[in-house]
Amino acid sequence: MRWIEVDTYQEMSLKAADCFEQQLLQKPDSVLGLATGGSPIGLYEELVKRYKQRVFSFSQVKTFNLDEYVGVSPADVTSYHSYMEEHLFSQVDIEKNDIHIPNGLAPNLQEECVRYEQLILQSGGIDLQLLGIGVNGHIGFNEPGTSFQSKTHVVTLADDTRAANSIYFPSKQEVPEYAISMGIETIMQAKEIILLAFGEQKMRAIERLKQEGISEDFPASRLKEHPNVTIIYGR
Ligand code: PGA
């Protein structure tokens, strides 16, 4: 694991953008694994800026998002479809057909999970996967206790997670209870992983990641067994 400590959120975003830039220059048809939440907003802003400066293009890129809420329409402002459209996709030249986000409205959620996992495999696998980390150590929506062998699956969101995400909803009661998430094994199959964490509330999770052993009680700890992970963090 490579640890990069930064002083500001902006510095974290620029360093992460440098990793994406390197990836896209080396392989313009990269398969990117993307994340939502507060951590990557600055990174996406910077990627849009560099795209507009013609440093790189998204025209050959394929993307797979980590997760989506169950029961939330893609058109709803609280969906991760909307988040991605707002912060990245509407501002760059990515082909609509190359964007993949789990369908939380699929009539058969189990089939949707299998379909998503197969699409990732058919694309040749994820070259660079972006992650945040939950205060409880979740990655994607893989909450404590999730099997390290998990593939894309339906998850029940932890109370901590619903509380943290309630800032995006009118009330905590309206935060969905379920989501579809790439599994821990799905994430581990990415060739390279970057995890972003900024702010005091994330530092306990970062300290645990540094100090504790590998255990399903702390999902991010599994990343210690991945050969190419960079953690960019600060308080
Ligand atoms: P955040 O969420 O980027 O909004 O802090 C990260 C996560 O919970 O995985």
Side-chain angles (χ1 to χ4, degrees):
M1 247 176 194
R2 224 170 114 227
W3 293 87
I4 302 180
E5 188 167 5
V6 294
D7 292 326
T8 63
Y9 179 87
Q10 170 76 354
E11 192 187 345
M12 176 180 80
S13 306
L14 294 179
K15 287 219 182 325
D18 291 344
C19 299
F20 275 81
E21 177 175 325
Q22 205 184 359
Q23 176 66 40
L24 291 175
L25 292 180
Q26 266 168 18
K27 189 177 177 213
D29 60 347
S30 289
V31 179
L32 303 179
L34 300 178
T36 50
S39 309
I41 289 179
L43 161 65
Y44 292 145
E45 247 174 54
E46 185 60 26
L47 291 180
V48 168
K49 190 165 133 200
R50 295 185 195 187
Y51 159 74
K52 288 185 174 158
Q53 292 166 344
R54 298 179 186 273
V55 179
F56 46 71
S57 156
F58 288 82
S59 64
Q60 299 178 62
V61 166
K62 287 189 173 56
T63 63
F64 287 90
N65 265 77
L66 278 169
D67 43 26
E68 178 59 287
Y69 293 117
V70 166
V72 174
S73 154
D76 194 291
V77 287
T78 60
S79 74
Y80 288 162
H81 281 76
S82 291
Y83 171 105
M84 289 309 302
E85 199 55 29
E86 177 188 347
H87 293 289
L88 186 67
F89 298 149
S90 65
Q91 303 189 63
V92 299
D93 61 346
I94 188 159
E95 299 282 343
K96 291 280 168 251
N97 289 340
D98 290 333
I99 295 170
H100 305 285
I101 304 178
N103 176 9
L105 289 183
N108 184 327
L109 295 172
Q110 305 304 334
E111 275 175 18
E112 172 61 8
C113 294
V114 171
R115 180 193 74 90
Y116 200 68
E117 196 70 32
Q118 279 170 352
L119 268 180
I120 296 174
L121 286 177
Q122 282 161 14
S123 76
I126 292 170
D127 292 302
L128 178 58
Q129 175 69 54
L130 177 65
L131 296 178
I133 185 170
V135 288
N136 61 7
H138 76 198
I139 48 175
F141 272 139
N142 295 290
E143 305 287 19
T146 304
S147 163
F148 283 163
Q149 268 77 54
S150 53
K151 302 283 182 65
T152 301
H153 59 146
V154 178
V155 301
T156 304
L157 299 179
D159 235 37
D160 285 351
T161 301
R162 294 185 68 230
N165 290 6
S166 64
I167 56 168
Y168 302 109
F169 290 83
S171 69
K172 185 179 165 197
Q173 284 68 35
E174 287 170 72
V175 182
E177 288 178 50
Y178 304 99
I180 294 178
S181 176
M182 281 187 199
I184 295 180
E185 181 57 25
T186 320
I187 292 170
M188 286 293 284
Q189 282 167 5
K191 296 176 188 83
E192 181 178 354
I193 296 174
I194 295 177
L195 185 148
L196 304 182
F198 195 84
E200 207 56 55
Q201 74 286 4
K202 291 292 165 78
M203 285 310 111
R204 166 126 179 82
I206 289 294
E207 285 310 318
R208 286 186 71 185
L209 183 56
K210 273 190 181 162
Q211 285 160 16
E212 283 182 23
I214 298 167
S215 149
E216 287 181 350
D217 292 338
F218 192 67
S221 65
R222 175 71 168 127
L223 300 174
K224 293 185 182 205
E225 291 180 327
H226 191 284
N228 193 358
V229 179
T230 305
I231 315 281
I232 311 179
Y233 71 104
R235 58 175 82 226

